[in-house]
Every structure is written in structure tokens, then in C-alpha cells.
């Protein structure tokens, strides 16, 4: 084979003798019919592969969350279960827990000559709704670097949980409704679980968050919440003494007496204007990424998204690993295979 085996071409691509494997494609159009598409989790910037006409693989939880949020049905889907091998020719793909959100997966790809791991977005610590990412051994690692900057080292999660709860209880005492603007799936459910677990405050959720909550309940993560558009939900938001969870940037149904907050890893370095800000991330921080890479035993690392240049530099210098940002592929190079 002449071309590069690994790179970016409308998604993360691994080329093998058995074909082209595309992970988290960013467009459904112009997808080759013989491509094998794998979707790592249900966040919208990773799910465009569900629109393609080719066979696509994801965990059942990822598909369920996607279908709840989009309110439509995925066609041409096949289940990818943690630890269960998917065979395509002589290539073996094994989905593994990524710890990022319910159903999130890494994919270990084994060919007769090499072993690759594509992480997707990963989180390397336990949360109230997920377990820490598995750490598979491999030769070539393709790792996300959203927080691949040494400035992004997150405090212990329990400490952040305590800060969030204490802030919310104080705001309730002052007659405000603590209102969290977070992703509709993943972070929202962690916030709901946090208040279910540590307080007796009722949690009111925007309808789209509620749909994702239902998928989590079906997936075995028990969440107690009230839909904001029900009579009980409107009453609670008007009366107070509750927490409200809605989407990032949404002002829908936010009460006038709200105290608003963001929960994001970016809060380590950046503020959020008039909102309270908490460094709660569903991604691995810099120190976690370095530890994860070392434990995989990878000899070759490609970093993508975020601080890919910076973390590659650290991996070369500190771990003596051959590491670079994920290269771009051209359609011409694909045809070399």
C-alpha cells in the first residue's frame, strides 16, 4: 500500500486491507458505499454518520439518546457492544467504554499487522453517571486532545460537586432558581444526578434534556426530574425551591429570578460573564491524557482536536513517543489503497 493508513478525511480514517473505517464522520454526503462507519457517542458533532446510507455502528445507548433527541429513527444500524468483537474480513473491531457519557465508546481495531485505538472523546475518572474510560493496549493510538494543554488540570470531581451544590443551596436560600446551561445529553444528566444524590431539591428540566434523561433511565442510570413544560414544572419554576437544567445558550423557560451557571472544563481558564462557572468536564484533563497515553503502551500517537500540536510536543519530549497531530488525507491517497 502506498498511502497513509491513518488520517483525517471528513472523519478519522483507518485504512486496512479490508476497507476504509471512518470514525465520527462530520458529513453524511459523499460517503463511499464500502465505508464502515463507527459513531463514538451521541453529541451532535459526532452523530452525522447516522444520516449516511452506509451501515453504521454505535452502542445501543448512543443510538437511543440520538433518537430521543432527534425524535426520529436510525436506519442501517448495527449494535456495537463493549467488549464484543465485530469482524469485517480479517479486521477485528472491539468497542470499549470511553467514560465520556452514557454509551460512549472507544474502538480498538486489530488487523493482521497492527493494532490501533481510536478514543473519540474520553474521560478518565469516575462520575455519577459514567465509569472511567478503559485503557486498551495498542501500537497506534488516535487520541482526542480537547484539553491537551497543561493549563487544563481539573480539580477532584468531588470538590467540584461540592462547590456546585453549595452554590445552588445558597441561591435557593436567597430566593433564586439555580439554572444550569449545559449540553442536553451527558453533562445535563450528571447535574441532575448530582442534585438527586446530594439534595432533596426537585430538578426541573427543559424538554430536550428530559428526553435525554429518559434514555439514561432506560440505560440503567436512574434520574428523577420534572419536565419544565408540565403543570408541575411551571409551578416549581415560578415558586422556586428547585434546580433548573436547560441547554447551553437557551433562555427558554428560564425564570426571572434565576441564578445562572455553566459547568464546563473551560472554566479552569475562562470565565462565563455573568454566569457562575464550574470546572466540570466530561473530557480528560491534560494530566489524565498523558497518563492514559502512557498506560496504553502506544508506540505511535496521533492527536486530534483541541491542543493536538501542544500535547504531541509533550508526548515526544516527556514520554519519548513518536507523536504528531493527525495528518490530513486526500481522496487521491485513499485511492492508493
Amino acid at each position: 500500500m502506498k498511502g497513509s493508513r491513518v488520517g483525517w478525511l471528513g472523519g478519522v480514517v483507518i485504512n486496512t486491507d479490508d476497507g476504509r473505517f471512518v470514525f465520527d464522520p462530520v458529513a453524511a454526503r459523499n460517503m463511499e458505499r464500502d465505508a464502515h462507519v463507527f459513531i463514538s457517542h451521541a453529541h451532535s458533532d459526532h452523530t452525522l454518520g447516522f444520516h449516511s446510507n452506509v451501515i453504521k455502528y454505535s452502542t445501543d445507548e448512543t443510538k437511543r439518546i440520538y433518537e430521543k433527541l432527534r425524535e426520529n429513527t436510525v436506519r442501517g444500524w448495527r449494535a456495537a457492544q463493549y467488549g464484543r468483537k465485530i469482524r469485517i474480513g480479517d479486521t477485528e473491531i472491539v468497542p470499549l467504554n470511553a467514560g465520556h457519557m452514557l454509551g460512549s465508546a472507544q474502538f480498538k481495531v486489530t488487523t493482521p499487522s497492527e493494532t490501533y485505538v481510536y478514543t473519540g472523546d474520553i474521560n478518565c475518572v469516575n462520575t455519577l453517571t459514567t465509569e472511567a474510560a478503559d485503557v486498551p493496549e495498542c501500537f497506534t493510538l488516535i487520541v482526542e486532545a480537547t484539553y491537551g494543554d497543561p493549563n487544563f488540570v481539573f480539580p477532584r470531581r468531588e470538590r467540584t460537586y461540592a462547590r456546585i451544590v453549595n452554590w445552588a443551596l445558597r441561591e435557593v436560600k436567597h430566593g433564586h432558581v439555580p439554572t444550569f446551561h449545559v449540553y442536553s445529553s451527558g453533562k445535563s444528566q450528571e447535574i441532575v444526578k448530582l442534585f438527586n444524590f446530594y439534595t432533596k431539591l426537585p430538578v426541573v428540566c427543559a424538554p430536550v434534556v428530559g428526553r435525554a434523561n429518559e434514555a439514561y433511565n432506560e440505560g440503567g442510570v436512574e434520574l428523577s426530574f420534572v419536565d419544565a413544560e408540565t403543570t408541575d414544572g411551571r409551578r416549581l419554576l415560578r415558586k422556586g425551591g428547585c434546580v433548573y437544567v436547560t441547554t447551553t445558550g437557551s433562555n427558554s423557560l428560564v425564570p426571572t429570578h434565576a441564578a445562572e451557571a455553566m459547568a464546563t472544563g473551560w472554566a479552569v481558564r475562562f470565565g462565563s460573564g455573568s454566569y457562575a462557572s464550574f470546572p466540570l468536564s466530561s473530557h480528560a484533563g491534560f494530566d489524565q491524557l498523558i497518563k492514559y497515553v502512557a498506560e496504553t503502551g502506544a508506540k505511535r500517537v496521533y492527536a486530534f482536536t483541541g491542543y493536538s500540536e501542544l500535547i504531541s510536543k509533550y508526548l515526544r519530549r516527556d514520554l519519548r513517543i513518536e507523536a504528531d497531530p493527525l495528518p490530513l488525507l486526500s481522496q487521491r491517497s485513499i485511492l492508493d489503497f
Side-chain angles (χ1 to χ4, degrees):
M1 292 187 178
K2 304 174 189 175
S4 174
R5 285 183 174 272
V6 178
W8 175 269
L9 183 62
V12 174
V13 174
I14 298 176
N15 292 296
T16 78
D17 292 335
D18 294 307
R20 181 181 175 196
F21 296 84
V22 185
F23 300 87
D24 292 336
V26 297
R29 300 176 63 185
N30 303 320
M31 188 73 67
E32 284 82 353
R33 299 293 300 178
D34 61 349
H36 309 285
V37 170
F38 291 82
I39 297 162
S40 67
H41 65 283
H43 284 149
S44 60
D45 55 334
H46 292 260
T47 57
L48 288 173
F50 279 135
H51 297 268
S52 67
N53 292 323
V54 302
I55 297 297
K56 68 279 297 181
Y57 299 82
S58 77
T59 62
D60 181 64
E61 293 87 350
T62 291
K63 180 176 81 81
R64 186 184 299 124
I65 295 168
Y66 173 83
E67 290 180 334
K68 293 278 190 184
L69 294 177
R70 302 285 297 194
E71 297 184 295
N72 63 13
T73 302
V74 173
R75 308 292 181 187
W77 170 83
R78 294 181 183 173
Q81 298 181 26
Y82 292 156
R84 180 169 292 186
K85 298 175 183 177
I86 299 168
R87 284 199 171 275
I88 300 173
D90 291 328
T91 300
E92 176 185 286
I93 302 95
V94 179
L96 300 164
N97 171 42
H100 180 61
M101 65 180 294
L102 180 68
S104 61
Q106 308 171 71
F107 296 98
K108 184 173 183 177
V109 181
T110 302
T111 73
S113 60
E114 192 165 339
T115 301
Y116 307 83
V117 166
Y118 166 74
T119 66
D121 294 343
I122 58 169
N123 175 42
C124 298
V125 298
N126 292 332
T127 79
L128 290 171
T129 56
T130 60
E131 293 183 356
D134 295 332
V135 185
E137 294 182 356
C138 61
F139 184 88
T140 298
L141 174 64
I142 308 165
V143 63
E144 69 114 336
T146 302
Y147 293 118
D149 178 325
N151 288 300
F152 289 103
V153 174
F154 303 127
R156 288 179 61 248
R157 212 168 194 85
E158 294 76 12
R159 179 183 173 191
T160 303
Y161 285 158
R163 284 186 57 203
I164 292 172
V165 169
N166 287 337
W167 171 82
L169 292 174
R170 184 169 62 251
E171 294 299 336
V172 167
K173 185 177 179 180
H174 292 158
H176 302 146
V177 175
T179 298
F180 292 87
H181 295 271
V182 286
Y183 290 142
S184 59
S185 60
K187 192 72 64 64
S188 288
Q189 288 68 49
E190 187 175 5
I191 293 294
V192 174
K193 189 68 175 179
L194 174 62
F195 285 98
N196 288 170
F197 191 82
Y198 286 108
T199 78
K200 294 183 179 180
L201 292 173
V203 182
V204 181
C205 294
V208 66
V209 174
R211 295 200 297 274
N213 291 350
E214 291 170 3
Y216 268 64
N217 280 331
E218 292 169 7
V221 180
E222 294 185 10
L223 301 173
S224 176
F225 68 99
V226 180
D227 191 304
E229 291 192 346
T230 64
T231 300
D232 285 345
R234 293 191 184 94
R235 178 182 56 79
L236 283 166
L237 291 179
R238 187 170 57 252
K239 176 184 175 183
C242 65
V243 171
Y244 183 42
V245 181
T246 187
T247 52
T248 303
S250 173
N251 292 316
S252 175
L253 302 175
V254 173
T256 57
H257 53 303
E260 297 177 272
M262 301 282 285
T264 171
W266 300 112
V268 168
R269 290 188 64 186
F270 308 110
S272 54
S274 60
Y275 290 2
S277 189
F278 302 99
L280 187 69
S281 176
S282 54
H283 293 260
F286 180 81
D287 54 336
Q288 297 168 27
L289 285 170
I290 296 294
K291 182 174 183 286
Y292 170 89
V293 172
E295 290 180 353
T296 66
K299 307 302 181 188
R300 184 79 179 87
V301 175
Y302 293 109
F304 68 98
T305 72
Y307 295 92
S308 56
E309 288 272 6
L310 189 56
I311 198 169
S312 295
K313 173 184 173 182
Y314 274 84
L315 291 172
R316 290 193 300 268
R317 188 191 71 185
D318 296 351
L319 297 187
R320 306 297 184 189
I321 293 174
E322 186 181 351
D324 292 286
L326 185 69
L328 298 176
L329 297 176
S330 67
Q331 192 64 38
R332 184 179 185 86
S333 71
I334 291 295
L335 297 176
D336 288 340
F337 285 85

